[in-house]
Structure formats: C-alpha cells, structure tokens
C-alpha cells in the first residue's frame, strides 16, 4: 500500500459533497453487516473443517468483487478506478486468501468467532449507523437553515417591493388630489417614503446576512460536516482493524500450522491506515466546484434605486437602533463562541490521543461528543456572525 504524504480533508477537497460522502460512509457501515455475516458463517463452517472453508472464501470473494468499486470509490465516482481497490479492500483480500489456506478448525475457535467478532461487529454497526443518522439529521438541519435564510430574504424583498409600490400609489394620489386635500396626501407620501427607506435598509442588511450565512454554509458548515463524516468513517475503519487483528490473533493461537500465514495477515492489517480509504475516495470523487453567486440588491420594478443605504434622519435612527442592539450582544456572543470552540478543540485533542494510543477512552463516544460540541459551536457562530454583519453593514 502507498505511503501517506498528506492526509486528505473531505471538507477542503470535496466542498458541497455531502450526498456522495454520506452514501460512501453508509456503504462502509452497511459493509460491517457483510463482515459480521462472514464471521457467523465462518463459525458454522469451522465445525465442518477444511472443505467448507474454501466454499466460504469463494463466496466472499464474489461479494467483494460486486461491491469493490462501491466500497472503494463510492456510488458515483468522477474517475473510474479500473482495477484499483481501496486499502480496506486489499486488507480484506488478504484475509480471504488466508482463509483459503486454512484446513483445520476447532469448536473453541468457532465459539470465539461469535463472541469476539460477530457480536461486536453487530454492535459497532448499530452505533456507527446511529452516529451517521445524527449527521444526516444535522445536514438536513443545515440545509433547512440555508433555505430558510433564502426564504426570509425573498420575503424581505417582497415587503420592500410592496412598500415601493405603496410609495408610487401615494405619489399618484398627490397628483390626483384637490388642493384642499393635497397637504394631507403629501404628508402621507412623505411618511410612506420614510417607511420605504427603512424597508430598503432592512432589505440590504438581509442581503448581507444571507450572503454571509451562505458563505459559512458552503465554506464552514458543510465542510465541517464532511470532516466529521470522514472522522466517523476513519474511526469505523480503525475499529474494524482492531477486530481484524483480534481475528488473526485467535487464528494464530488455534492453528500453529498457519502461523506464517496469520503473521502475514497481522502484518497487513496495521498498514490499512484509515486515511488510505479516504485518500482513494477523494481522488476518484473530486470535481470542479464554484461558489454560488452572492445575492445583490434588486431595485423595485416601480421604484428604481441604487444599493446605497438610506441616510436621512429617520433612517439613521432606525439603523442606530439596530447597531446598538447588535453591539450590545456581540461581546457576549464572542465569548460564547470562544468557549464552544475550545470545547471542540479539546475533543479533537482527545480523539488524536486515542488514535496515537495515549488515551484509552472509546473513540465512538469521543467522536459523538466532538460532534455535539461542533453543533453547539455552529449555533454560537451563526448568532455571532449575524451580529457582526449587522454591525459592519
């Protein structure tokens, strides 16, 4: 297997690639069921000795051939992998090849296959699928937030257009009014003009907020989600490596005649660095991607204006009220954001310590905690950025 120069980051490499990444991670988690089934069937076959082992190996080579591309590069790769296969697939091949060379098995080993491999795999599959669904719910939440932001901007634009239309109606009313009611019509027109300018400023602020939230969605929220899905998948692979190592250890203890084969398998498994599968997936799924265009000010069809903020006395008062409110909450929001960010960084350090063998905590629980902190950080960040944009607009 190739050495790793730079570990890929899904968020940086795949941009708005949630659907293929989620599908790939889902396939990997579902694949645990195949491996679990393998060990359960292996347990039954072990009781019938060598003649059944060859049949089992053949069956799972066929399964692997059907799913090799899907598990290596996903459902819809942008580059055809040809005969290449992922690191996990290569490691899986080594195990099946080892199985073909096994000839004798014992009842104790058959029992161990269930208690030490199949059942833990079933539990792991359930836990990782639950974690993946949490990510899917969060992805839907992010998309809903983004679409809601777009919808709010559209509503604000509609209100602005409506106010502009009302200004035009008031202007026409002045033209058609008699001298006795003209002063009243002019006063109503002036008030409507003030309302229109305030609405315009509100619309401009909404545009800036929407654009900033859009930027965060495509450059931070979704990339962070993809990085977290990558962490889930790499954690799954690392855990699977541990179980594979356990399987090879059990075989080594049971079958002295297969010692050399099992030592070879044990040596291959640690080379299946979780990052290798991610690297191959990125290389075969990366595509050209551009940011969606920013939102810009759209003049009302009946009231042509530029995108300059209204700065008359009433408008300034309106803006100062917004500025005062946003400034008042900004420092607290920044403190909250910094606190949440430190929580995320702390969880990441714990996960790294686990990967380096310096911490014995459950990595699934740590990844779950890290994702929980990232959700809280996201909420704090959205509120802080909204306030900052309102202040700077």
């Amino acid at each position: 297997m190739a050495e790793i120069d730079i570990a890929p980051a899904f968020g940086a490499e795949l941009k708005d690639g949630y659907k293929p990444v989620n599908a790939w991670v889902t396939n990997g988690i579902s694949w645990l069921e195949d491996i679990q089934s393998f060990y359960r069937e292996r347990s039954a076959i072990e009781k019938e000795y060598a003649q059944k082992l060859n049949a089992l190996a053949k069956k799972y080579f066929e399964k692997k051939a059907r799913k090799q591309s899907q598990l290596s590069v996903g459902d819809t790769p942008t580059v055809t992998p040809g005969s290449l296969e992922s690191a996990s697939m290569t490691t899986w091949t080594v195990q099946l090849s080892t199985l073909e060379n096994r000839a004798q098995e014992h009842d104790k080993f058959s029992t161990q296959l269930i208690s030490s491999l199949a059942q833990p795999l079933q539990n792991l599959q359930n836990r990782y699928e639950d974690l993946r669904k949490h990510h899917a719910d969060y992805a839907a939440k992010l998309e809903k937030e983004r679409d809601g932001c777009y919808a709010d901007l559209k509503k604000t634009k509609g209100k602005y257009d409506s106010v502009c239309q009302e200004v035009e109606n008031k202007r026409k009313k002045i033209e058609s009014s008699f001298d006795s009611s003209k002063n009243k019509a002019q006063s109503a027109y002036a008030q409507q003009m003030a309302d229109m300018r305030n609405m315009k400023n509100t619309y401009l602020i909404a545009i800036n907020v929407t654009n900033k939230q859009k930027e965060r969605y495509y450059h931070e929220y979704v990339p962070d989600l993809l990085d977290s899905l990558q962490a889930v998948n790499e954690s799954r692979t690392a855990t699977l490596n541990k179980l594979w190592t356990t399987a090879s250890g059990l075989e080594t203890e049971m079958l002295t005649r297969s010692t050399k084969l099992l030592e070879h398998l044990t040596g291959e498994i640690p080379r299946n660095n979780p990052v290798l599968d991610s690297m191959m997936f990125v290389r075969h799924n990366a595509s050209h991607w551009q940011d969606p265009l920013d939102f810009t000010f759209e003049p009302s069809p009946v009231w042509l204006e530029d995108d300059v903020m209204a700065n008359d006395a009433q408008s300034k008062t309106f803006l100062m009220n917004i500025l005062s409110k946003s400034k008042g909450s900004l420092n607290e929001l920044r403190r909250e954001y910094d606190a949440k960010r430190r929580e995320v960084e702390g969880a990441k350090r714990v996960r790294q310590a686990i990967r380096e063998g310096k911490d014995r905590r459950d990595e699934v629980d740590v990844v779950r905690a890290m994702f929980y902190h990232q959700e809280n950080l996201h909420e704090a960040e959205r509120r802080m950025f909204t306030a900052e944009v309102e202040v700077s607009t």
Side-chain angles (χ1 to χ4, degrees):
M1 299 179 190
E3 295 296 325
I4 302 171
D5 294 325
I6 300 176
F10 282 7
E13 299 290 340
L14 300 178
K15 299 299 180 185
D16 188 22
Y18 168 74
K19 289 184 178 180
V21 170
N22 180 59
W24 184 62
V25 172
T26 301
N27 292 336
I29 294 172
S30 298
W31 183 41
L32 293 177
E33 185 172 356
D34 281 353
I35 304 173
Q36 177 199 157
S37 298
F38 163 77
Y39 285 120
R40 291 188 184 281
E41 293 191 37
R42 171 79 182 270
S43 177
I45 291 174
E46 293 295 336
K47 295 182 181 295
E48 299 177 6
Y49 297 100
Q51 69 273 20
K52 293 292 183 180
L53 296 180
N54 287 328
L56 182 65
K58 179 180 178 181
K59 174 181 179 179
Y60 277 88
F61 265 125
E62 292 172 352
K63 278 198 170 191
K64 172 183 170 290
R66 291 195 299 270
K67 297 185 177 182
Q68 176 176 312
S69 177
Q70 183 185 51
L71 290 167
S72 296
V73 298
D75 293 337
T76 56
T78 57
V79 178
T80 302
S83 60
L84 295 177
E85 63 181 11
S86 68
S88 290
M89 290 286 96
T90 301
T91 306
W92 184 229
T93 299
V94 174
Q95 292 195 79
L96 295 178
S97 297
T98 300
L99 178 61
E100 288 181 323
N101 293 285
R102 300 289 301 275
Q104 296 179 347
E105 302 295 344
H106 301 97
D107 287 343
K108 179 181 178 181
F109 183 54
S110 174
T111 301
Q112 289 174 325
L113 283 172
I114 297 296
S115 62
S116 299
L117 296 170
Q119 193 59 50
L121 275 168
Q122 183 177 6
N123 296 336
L124 282 170
Q125 181 182 358
N126 293 337
R127 294 175 68 191
Y128 279 113
E129 179 59 13
D130 179 67
L131 188 54
R132 186 202 65 78
K133 287 179 178 178
H134 195 169
H135 284 71
D137 292 340
Y138 183 58
K141 175 185 176 182
L142 288 176
E143 185 174 356
K144 184 178 179 181
E145 287 176 350
R146 182 203 62 187
D147 293 343
C149 200
Y150 291 176
D152 289 343
L153 178 62
K154 185 176 181 180
K155 289 179 181 177
T156 302
K157 176 61 168 64
K159 291 179 180 178
Y160 171 66
D161 290 345
S162 177
V163 171
C164 290
Q165 181 62 58
E166 190 61 26
V167 168
E168 181 63 14
N169 293 342
K170 298 293 184 183
R171 185 189 64 78
K172 290 180 179 179
K173 191 171 183 180
I174 292 174
E175 294 177 354
S176 62
S177 64
F178 296 100
D179 292 342
S180 59
S181 60
K182 190 172 292 291
N183 288 338
K184 183 177 179 181
Q186 289 175 338
S187 176
Y189 174 76
Q191 180 59 47
Q192 193 63 40
M193 281 291 292
D195 292 344
M196 182 273 291
R197 288 191 293 268
N198 288 340
M199 195 64 236
K200 173 188 174 182
N201 289 341
T202 300
Y203 176 39
L204 289 170
I205 290 172
I207 289 174
N208 282 347
V209 170
T210 301
N211 283 333
K212 282 296 182 181
Q213 293 296 348
K214 174 182 65 66
E215 179 183 350
R216 290 291 181 273
Y217 175 85
Y218 286 107
H219 288 277
E220 290 192 27
Y221 305 153
V222 172
D224 286 348
L225 177 66
L226 298 186
D227 287 343
S228 187
L229 279 172
Q230 181 181 357
V232 170
N233 194 73
E234 292 177 5
S235 173
R236 176 192 60 79
T237 302
T239 306
L240 185 56
N241 284 345
K242 294 176 183 178
L243 288 172
W244 279 339
T245 303
T246 298
S248 69
L250 290 173
E251 290 185 283
T252 300
E253 294 171 1
M254 178 61 67
L255 304 170
T256 56
R257 292 184 299 171
S258 299
T259 297
K260 290 184 179 181
L261 289 172
L262 293 171
E263 288 177 346
H264 173 70
L265 174 60
T266 304
E268 287 295 307
I269 291 173
R271 297 175 62 188
N272 182 34
N273 190 304
V275 174
L276 288 172
D277 285 359
S278 300
M279 181 180 293
M280 184 172 184
F281 182 77
V282 167
R283 289 175 176 173
H284 290 81
N285 286 270
S287 59
H288 180 67
W289 183 85
Q290 292 181 332
D291 282 307
L293 295 177
D294 282 353
F295 291 96
T296 59
F297 174 75
E298 297 178 23
S300 169
V302 297
W303 192 261
L304 301 179
E305 280 199 294
D306 54 29
D307 60 355
V308 178
M309 299 279 278
N311 60 2
D312 60 281
Q314 284 185 318
S315 298
K316 287 181 178 179
T317 299
F318 177 79
L319 292 174
M320 286 302 295
N321 289 336
I322 294 177
L323 179 62
S324 176
K325 180 180 178 181
S326 298
K327 277 188 173 180
S329 62
L330 190 53
N331 288 335
E332 180 61 30
L333 290 173
R334 285 171 175 166
R335 284 192 293 271
E336 180 184 0
Y337 169 77
D338 289 338
K340 299 301 182 184
R341 178 176 53 79
R342 286 192 294 271
E343 289 177 350
V344 171
E345 291 173 351
K348 288 181 178 179
R349 286 193 295 270
V350 172
R351 178 174 178 261
Q352 184 60 33
I354 293 173
R355 298 294 293 277
E356 294 173 357
K358 300 176 181 178
D359 195 309
R360 304 182 70 85
R361 276 176 280 186
D362 191 316
E363 188 172 0
V364 178
D365 292 337
V366 173
V367 172
R368 183 187 301 277
M370 185 170 67
F371 188 67
Y372 170 77
H373 292 318
Q374 285 175 332
E375 282 191 282
N376 291 337
L377 176 62
H378 164 73
E379 294 295 337
E381 186 183 47
R382 287 188 81 247
R383 293 194 296 270
M384 181 186 71
F385 278 121
T386 297
E388 287 180 343
V389 173
E390 289 177 346
V391 170
S392 63
T393 298

